[in-house]
Amino acid sequence: MAADTTAAAACKLESGSVTAGGDHTHRVITAGSPATVQEKQRYTALFPEGRPRLSSLFFNDPVVPGFGGAYAGHVVIGSGLYSSTYFLTTAGEVDRTQSHNFRIGGGWADATFLETSYPHDTNPFALANHYALRGNGTLTRWDSKGGFGWTNPQSAGGFAAVKTMALISQAATYDTFLANTHGGALYTIRLPLTSPMKPVVKRVRASTWQAFDALIAEKCGQYGTLLLGIDKDTQSGYLYAVGHANGTATVIKGLGKVPATFADPLYFRYAGEPGTAPLLFGE
């Protein structure tokens, strides 16, 4: 585990945001002494101004016949859930004739978190697990098979104290999230891919994590995680190397403040095309 945190200087994650004006931004953050930030693309006016509230990860397919690539994910806009896809021209600009937000359903006004977990499968649309946290503390998972429909909802209560979460592990039989609470505690939440869904919750730290409004995680080393915590009040981001999840014995090493401003209302993770490589990893 010590090696995981020591090796974190070679790790990087891709952070995205939705601006107040509805743009997508893209940064590559590399851990180091100090951390470095590469400002990449900015795609403008993809969403109605000031309306997006939540976003899952967005994955990038760089090879699309006739286009310069494509991006896809899910977004809560107002009280509605949307599947969002946009294509790029061969010149690298958004093709406005192929930029779509398809409404899946309403009733999302009280949702506080949204994420999608793709399995390790050669067919990227064989199965996806969608997760949402409601303001009343209900955590729900849906299945999406063949790229269509959200089915087989499984829910568990008791998560009203959770402020935000980040997916840190995908395995054949479970997904694992790292979650901070409004009171400052840090927990892992393991969600077996069974029916009914019975979460396994373990405390990692008792305090000091309450400032973060968004968490973004990426694989770092064989078993570790590079974690970005974003504090919107101070518009700051901080990096951590997190070892193999093991309750209060989990090793967490602070890697310092990221030299960038985090002033946008909404943050998410960019990932590669599902099915081409593991987006995360199994514990």
Side-chain angles (χ1 to χ4, degrees):
M1 290 180 289
D4 290 330
T5 56
T6 301
C11 295
K12 63 180 62 179
L13 58 78
E14 298 190 43
S15 168
S17 72
V18 180
T19 70
D23 304 346
H24 256 186
T25 74
H26 188 173
R27 287 170 167 164
V28 177
I29 300 172
T30 303
S33 300
T36 59
V37 179
Q38 178 188 6
E39 302 284 353
K40 297 190 71 176
Q41 300 94 335
R42 185 185 187 101
Y43 300 123
T44 61
L46 294 172
F47 306 101
E49 185 173 336
R51 294 276 291 161
R53 296 181 48 249
L54 301 171
S55 176
S56 71
L57 69 84
F58 265 69
F59 68 79
N60 173 29
D61 183 352
V63 181
V64 180
F67 293 93
Y71 291 84
H74 292 88
V75 182
V76 172
I77 301 174
S79 61
L81 174 67
Y82 292 78
S83 173
S84 179
T85 303
Y86 60 95
F87 290 81
L88 305 181
T89 66
T90 54
E93 303 293 331
V94 175
D95 184 338
R96 299 296 171 177
T97 68
Q98 298 293 330
S99 177
H100 305 290
N101 293 311
F102 295 106
R103 185 179 174 91
I104 295 174
W108 286 75
D110 67 335
T112 61
F113 176 78
L114 176 70
E115 188 55 289
T116 298
S117 172
Y118 294 92
H120 299 175
D121 193 298
T122 56
N123 178 355
F125 298 106
L127 174 67
N129 302 313
H130 302 289
Y131 294 91
L133 180 64
R134 304 283 183 171
N136 64 2
T138 300
L139 183 61
T140 303
R141 178 180 65 234
W142 294 263
D143 298 337
S144 179
K145 297 180 180 180
F148 300 97
W150 288 38
T151 62
N152 190 30
Q154 302 291 318
S155 296
F159 295 97
V162 170
K163 189 173 184 181
T164 192
M165 303 162 59
L167 182 66
I168 63 169
S169 176
Q170 298 162 294
T173 57
Y174 60 84
D175 289 323
T176 303
F177 290 83
L178 191 66
N180 68 327
T181 69
H182 293 279
L186 190 68
Y187 290 88
T188 54
I189 303 172
R190 177 177 289 187
L191 299 169
L193 304 181
T194 56
S195 177
M197 183 175 71
K198 295 183 178 180
V200 178
V201 179
K202 293 184 179 181
R203 189 172 71 179
V204 177
R205 295 292 187 269
S207 61
T208 75
W209 288 82
Q210 67 273 10
F212 295 130
D213 303 287
L215 298 173
I216 298 174
E218 187 54 87
K219 179 180 179 180
C220 181
Q222 185 175 1
Y223 297 111
T225 299
L226 182 63
L227 179 70
L228 171 65
I230 297 172
D231 181 348
K232 293 182 181 178
D233 291 336
T234 62
Q235 300 184 356
S236 302
Y238 296 85
L239 285 179
Y240 299 87
V242 182
H244 175 74
N246 186 28
T248 56
T250 303
V251 175
I252 301 178
K253 180 182 179 181
L255 300 177
K257 186 177 180 180
V258 177
T261 300
F262 293 83
D264 294 328
L266 178 57
Y267 288 89
F268 61 91
R269 181 171 69 94
Y270 277 114
E273 180 191 4
T276 61
L279 299 187
L280 288 166
F281 58 99
E283 293 177 347

